[in-house]
Amino acid sequence: MSTKRVITYAEAINEALREEMKADPNVILLGEDIGAYGGVFKVTKGLLDEFGSDRVIDTPISETGFTGAGIGAAMTGMKPVVEIMWVDFTLVAMDQILNQAAKMTYMSGGQTKVPLVIRTQGGGGRGNAAQHSQSLETMFAHVPGLKVVVPSTPYDAKGLLKSSIREECPVIFIEHKMLYNQKGEVPSEEYFIPLGQADIKREGKDVTIVSLSRMVHFCLDAARELQNEGIEAEVIDLRTLVPLDLELVKKSVQKTHRLVIVHEATRSYGWGAEVAARIQEEAFDELDAPVLRVGAEDVPIPYNLNLEKEMLPQVRDIVDAARNALYLSV
Amino acid sequence: MKMTEGKKQELSREQAIWMYQKMVEIRKFEDRVHELFARGILPGFVHLYAGEEAVAVGVCAHLNEKDSITSTHRGHGHCIAKECDLNGMMAEIYGKVTGLCKGKGGSMHIADLEKGMLGANGIVGGGFPLACGSALTAKLKGTDAVSVCFFGDGANNQGTFHEGINLAAIWKLPVIFVAENNGYGEATPFSYASSCTDIAQRAAAYNIPGVIVDGKDVMAVYRAAKEAVIRARNGEGPTLIECKTYRNYGHFEGDAQKYKTEEEKQENLSERDSIQIFRQYLLSNNVLTEQELDRIDNDVEKAVSEAVQFAEESPYPSADELLKDVYVSYQ
């Protein structure tokens, strides 16, 4: 019997970590202030007490060092979940992530497994400025060898993190700082969500809107506004960028014949371009309008909240794009 | 040949044979790769370990299969000292499917996980954090395995050097950091690139032992490594060993090496050859005889020729190998 509960995104992630640590003694956590402090977003709260300092390991501020240590430990039998406090800080550790973790299996001809999860959080919305607000998922998706997970709800976050920890290749798991307190239904029974399965968050027949992470909620708000005008938008949450569930997007486009892609990352060279390209390659005849993209302006993220809001995609932008895709005047 | 009466030999006969053989394997393997590369037979590019044999062998003499090593772009010597198969190595350098990495890694990425060889590395300094990770595994699982991180002098100015040693020091990880100071980071002299006169000095900053040894003398390396490995296995934490050595060839094959002086070449290539030094040690201490040593030389010569033949006769990977091994589990 499924028990309905409502918990936050942060609590859901915490549960996933706790369950996987209980299930497998090789699962360890590494990161800055994840132990006694419980993580800056309190995601690892209580885990030190439950599992001890051998498994919940506080690190110095040394992202390259401890990320690489996670890789080395993964190669030799552990299943580390490394927390990099802000996705912006992954840039400090990029050699270890992109040159080492991503390529080990291939370079060794399949000998090496790197069952490593890098948990981090990104996104703007609270004035954290240019080095603490980015959406960098495309960078990781661009390098073969990494899986990239970008969940939007507590339910997805928990199920996807549990699956990520059971992967045998490195997974970049990007949470969103503005979602940690967002609540959602999460069953108390154990469940997993396989990587590579997008999810229809709202069904509709007139226009397909594809997104992930926090922007999914903006898209749902936009869909409600569109509904008032008699437009039924279908909102698809990709949930994982790698593997990419293009099939579900294609299926939706076969129904709606119109596609809008929404991401919080800067528009140019974002994953929206990839999805747009793939859809026109594989479903060109289904399209009744050009594929449109909504993304952040191509600038570093400003500190000032008004400017930040101006820079990041807003519900209005999504509504306008959907109307454009339907050739309605904006 | 009888051992010297009344004096305990530092090396057992088996150890001595193993060490001499591995050093000769490295030298002959690298000399052969040098020749093959010059003839245009090998793709990519190669960085040869010849001249530095005493380091890899003196350290790996203390390791077993459970111990891990991380290596560098100049990694053939580490592979051989960690007992990687010569045929599989040569085939890998040829890019053949019978190579240790199915021809997908090449000279700079040879790995043999079963032997604890976690991989050569194309990124200078890439191995420090990885070695900490394998040592962390040993520590958490309660085994007495150690990790050795081999690195060149060029790596001691990379951030990973400092981050890795600091992590190993604060967590008391069983790592031995082995600097192979051959005097040049690519073509730039160590004296220009580093603020310290010796890499070992930097150990003080991390509150761990730092020792300097003659990296041409395998026994000097052996003694220092012995102490460091015991320390690591006993849970007393990492050690930094700096081996002063010399690379017989250039940074990579094709390097004109104009930066090297005649004097240093003379000294290192003939007067202070690591294999000759060890040979003299074995003879003067009556550990092995001339005949025994010559037999090893001949056997190794044959083994290297067989490796070349094996590589040449092996097939290339088929095109369907291209998409395999990107993800361990992909849909």
Side-chain angles (χ1 to χ4, degrees):
Chain A
M1 195 178 81
S2 169
T3 324
K4 294 216 166 168
R5 293 182 308 154
V6 173
I7 60 173
T8 67
Y9 186 87
E11 287 164 344
I13 296 164
N14 180 281
E15 277 191 3
L17 293 171
R18 175 175 283 117
E19 286 178 16
E20 290 308 297
M21 290 182 82
K22 274 188 188 163
D24 184 349
N26 290 324
V27 177
I28 56 168
L29 310 185
L30 289 157
E32 295 156 0
D33 287 325
I34 62 167
Y37 194 76
V40 286
F41 296 98
K42 300 299 170 201
V43 172
T44 52
K45 196 175 157 190
L47 299 178
L48 174 69
D49 287 343
E50 193 169 343
F51 298 102
S53 58
D54 271 359
R55 297 186 64 197
V56 180
I57 304 171
D58 274 319
T59 66
I61 299 172
S62 186
E63 283 86 6
T64 297
F66 69 75
T67 301
I71 300 164
M75 290 166 68
T76 48
M78 306 305 292
K79 294 194 128 196
V81 180
V82 168
E83 175 176 312
I84 297 184
M85 201 184 277
W86 304 73
V87 75
D88 316 77
F89 304 171
T90 63
L91 301 177
V92 174
M94 270 315 191
D95 174 62
Q96 290 294 320
I97 300 171
L98 302 186
N99 275 329
Q100 311 295 339
K103 297 174 173 53
M104 279 300 170
T105 298
Y106 197 81
M107 293 191 301
S108 67
Q111 292 178 73
T112 318
K113 290 176 181 173
V114 188
L116 170 80
V117 177
I118 296 176
R119 277 188 49 243
T120 184
Q121 59 77 28
R126 50 176 236 181
N128 285 138
Q131 296 172 342
H132 288 75
S133 306
Q134 296 172 87
S135 296
L136 299 177
E137 62 274 9
T138 298
M139 276 194 194
F140 300 104
H142 193 53
V143 176
L146 302 171
K147 294 191 178 182
V148 182
V149 182
V150 201
S152 68
T153 66
Y155 177 82
D156 288 351
K158 181 175 177 185
L160 288 165
L161 182 54
K162 282 173 68 71
S163 295
S164 298
I165 293 171
R166 297 194 180 200
E167 283 282 337
E168 291 188 308
C169 66
V171 177
I172 309 296
F173 193 92
I174 308 175
E175 298 152 18
H176 197 296
K177 60 176 70 64
M178 299 298 283
L179 294 177
Y180 280 128
N181 291 324
Q182 190 150 127
K183 290 181 175 170
E185 272 185 18
V186 175
S188 47
E189 291 77 18
E190 182 173 45
Y191 66 96
F192 294 84
I193 300 173
L195 273 54
Q197 286 186 7
D199 185 42
I200 299 173
K201 288 286 194 275
R202 182 190 196 279
E203 285 193 27
K205 59 177 177 33
D206 298 324
V207 56
T208 302
I209 306 178
V210 171
S211 191
L212 47 70
S213 191
R214 186 185 183 212
M215 281 296 133
V216 169
H217 302 285
F218 282 45
C219 293
L220 289 170
D221 287 348
R224 278 186 282 272
E225 281 192 28
L226 290 163
Q227 191 177 24
N228 295 336
E229 303 174 31
I231 300 164
E232 292 300 333
E234 179 145 295
V235 177
I236 293 181
D237 180 356
L238 290 176
R239 301 199 291 197
T240 67
L241 267 190
V242 183
L244 175 65
D245 186 1
L246 199 72
E247 287 310 306
L248 193 71
V249 181
K250 263 199 301 198
K251 221 189 249 175
S252 180
V253 168
Q254 280 161 5
K255 177 170 64 173
T256 66
H257 310 292
R258 291 153 209 281
L259 177 60
V260 175
I261 301 162
V262 181
H263 55 60
E264 190 180 322
T266 45
R267 190 163 46 235
S268 298
Y269 307 100
W271 58 260
E274 175 66 20
V275 173
R278 297 272 291 274
I279 288 297
Q280 68 82 21
E281 281 166 2
E282 296 178 34
F284 186 76
D285 291 342
E286 295 292 342
L287 292 169
D288 284 347
V291 176
L292 299 178
R293 287 176 297 155
V294 178
E297 294 291 342
D298 293 323
V299 298
I301 300 168
Y303 166 66
N304 175 279
L305 284 173
N306 292 335
L307 289 178
E308 187 191 40
K309 203 169 176 187
E310 197 63 35
M311 183 253 185
L312 298 176
Q314 301 299 326
V315 173
R316 185 75 249 159
D317 303 318
I318 302 166
V319 171
D320 288 350
R323 289 177 57 85
N324 267 331
L326 287 153
Y327 296 114
L328 298 169
S329 59
V330 173
Chain B
M1 186 74 181
K2 256 177 82 180
M3 299 278 186
T4 315
E5 293 294 332
K7 187 185 162 207
K8 194 177 179 301
Q9 292 288 352
E10 197 173 356
L11 295 179
S12 71
R13 201 181 136 73
E14 291 69 35
Q15 278 176 313
I17 291 171
W18 184 88
M19 286 167 68
Y20 182 77
Q21 183 187 321
K22 289 294 158 196
M23 288 178 74
V24 176
E25 279 179 11
I26 295 171
R27 176 67 55 88
K28 289 189 186 291
F29 188 93
E30 295 295 63
D31 285 350
R32 191 68 69 90
V33 172
H34 168 77
E35 178 203 319
L36 292 166
F37 191 86
R39 284 164 49 203
I41 288 169
L42 304 177
F45 64 140
V46 288
H47 306 80
L48 302 181
Y49 196 78
E52 305 185 11
E53 298 86 355
V55 181
V57 171
V59 173
C60 290
H62 301 287
L63 306 184
N64 60 53
E65 282 192 2
K66 286 184 195 146
D67 299 319
S68 302
I69 66 167
T70 62
S71 171
T72 69
H73 54 287
R74 197 175 309 288
H76 303 168
H78 309 131
C79 292
I80 292 172
K82 201 68 176 60
E83 304 205 299
C84 294
D85 173 54
L86 293 186
N87 289 3
M89 283 180 63
M90 192 63 90
E92 186 60 33
I93 295 167
Y94 266 77
K96 298 295 181 79
V97 73
T98 54
L100 286 173
C101 308
K102 300 195 280 191
K104 291 177 172 179
S107 168
M108 271 189 292
H109 306 293
I110 302 183
D112 189 344
L113 273 284
E114 278 183 18
K115 302 280 186 187
M117 165 59 190
L118 299 186
N121 209 309
I123 306 298
V124 171
F128 295 100
L130 304 176
C132 290
S134 56
L136 183 64
T137 298
K139 186 174 174 169
L140 294 175
K141 286 185 180 282
T143 71
D144 72 345
V146 301
S147 299
V148 174
C149 172
F150 289 103
F151 64 100
D153 51 279
N156 96 119
N157 299 312
Q158 288 278 37
T160 46
F161 168 93
H162 300 275
E163 292 196 33
I165 295 181
N166 183 62
L167 275 187
I170 64 165
W171 290 338
K172 275 199 180 313
L173 297 176
V175 190
I176 298 97
F177 295 100
V178 180
E180 300 173 322
N181 190 346
N182 61 29
Y184 297 98
E186 301 205 7
T188 302
F190 174 75
S191 57
Y192 172 86
S194 292
S195 63
C196 51
T197 48
D198 300 297
I199 296 169
Q201 291 174 322
R202 292 187 166 173
Y206 302 101
N207 216 6
I208 65 166
V211 292
I212 301 172
V213 299
D214 177 0
K216 284 289 186 180
D217 177 359
V218 72
M219 290 309 296
V221 177
Y222 177 87
R223 287 175 200 123
K226 185 175 186 177
E227 201 173 315
V229 169
I230 289 172
R231 201 179 120 76
R233 291 205 203 281
N234 288 341
E236 292 165 50
T239 302
L240 170 58
I241 302 174
E242 177 179 8
C243 305
K244 305 280 191 188
T245 184
Y246 194 75
R247 62 177 195 227
N248 287 3
Y249 295 110
H251 166 60
F252 55 91
E253 284 306 276
D255 174 2
Q257 308 176 65
K258 286 184 179 154
Y259 48 86
K260 288 183 173 177
T261 65
E262 284 311 314
E263 297 73 37
E264 68 181 49
K265 280 198 273 189
Q266 170 68 18
E267 181 191 342
N268 287 289
L269 299 181
S270 29
E271 293 159 26
R272 292 195 36 76
D273 179 78
S274 55
I275 293 177
Q276 290 311 316
I277 291 172
F278 190 42
R279 206 178 157 100
Q280 281 315 307
Y281 169 89
L282 295 170
L283 291 172
S284 59
N285 286 283
N286 298 321
V287 186
L288 298 172
T289 65
E290 285 273 7
Q291 291 82 349
E292 286 171 325
L293 293 168
D294 289 346
R295 197 180 313 131
I296 293 172
D297 289 349
N298 290 334
D299 289 350
V300 169
E301 186 70 39
K302 255 185 257 161
V304 171
S305 293
E306 278 166 24
V308 171
Q309 194 185 349
F310 173 80
E312 286 185 348
E313 289 171 357
S314 291
Y316 286 108
S318 58
D320 67 353
E321 266 297 327
L322 177 67
L323 301 181
K324 291 180 188 163
D325 306 321
V326 182
Y327 301 90
V328 176
S329 46
Y330 194 79
Q331 307 234 359

